[in-house]
Amino acid sequence: MREEDVLAANEAFYQAFNRKDPAAMDAVWARSAPVACIHPGWNVLVWGEPVMQSWLGSLSNPAQPRIVTGGATVFFLGDAAVVTCRELVAGTPLAATNIFVLEDGAWKLSHHHSGPVTFMGE
């Protein structure tokens, strides 16, 4: 398991979002593992269809701002990888956690959670 591979998968997720590319967004998500997503201010979405519908709504929104990311850190938990990073959306700072699982030798997103940052300390 290489940290670089997980970071590349994480970057592919944000690139799919910023390019508003539904096929690329669909490709980053896990197929055999359960998936979940918590968008800022949203309730928990679980399983593939609700999660993908939420992303398709965001990707088709012409007013949806880009996400700028930074500070990605990876740590491994068995066969899973957890990425924590910062997001900046239209000037609003968010913190994100992305959990990846190995499927057929590739890191696939199983969980995304992003929420507002109200305390900027370390």
Side-chain angles (χ1 to χ4, degrees), residues 13 17 22 25-26 29 35-40 42-61 64 109 112:
F13 165 66
F17 183 88
M25 180 60 75
D26 185 61
W29 285 88
V35 297
C37 182
I38 306 171
H39 297 289
W42 287 41
N43 204 346
V44 179
L45 302 172
V46 294
W47 303 112
E49 187 66 23
V51 170
M52 285 314 302
Q53 287 303 313
S54 74
W55 288 109
L56 292 176
S58 293
L59 298 177
S60 65
N61 178 358
Q64 177 64 51
L109 191 57
H112 169 75

Side-chain angles (χ1 to χ4, degrees), residues 80-122:
V82 177
V83 177
T84 58
C85 64
R86 294 182 305 275
E87 299 177 346
L88 189 64
V89 181
T92 301
L94 304 171
T97 303
N98 298 317
I99 301 174
F100 294 87
V101 294
L102 271 175
E103 288 188 353
D104 299 321
W107 290 104
K108 297 293 182 173
L109 191 57
S110 178
H111 180 84
H112 169 75
H113 182 185
S114 180
V117 173
T118 58
F119 175 69
M120 299 299 280
E122 295 185 6

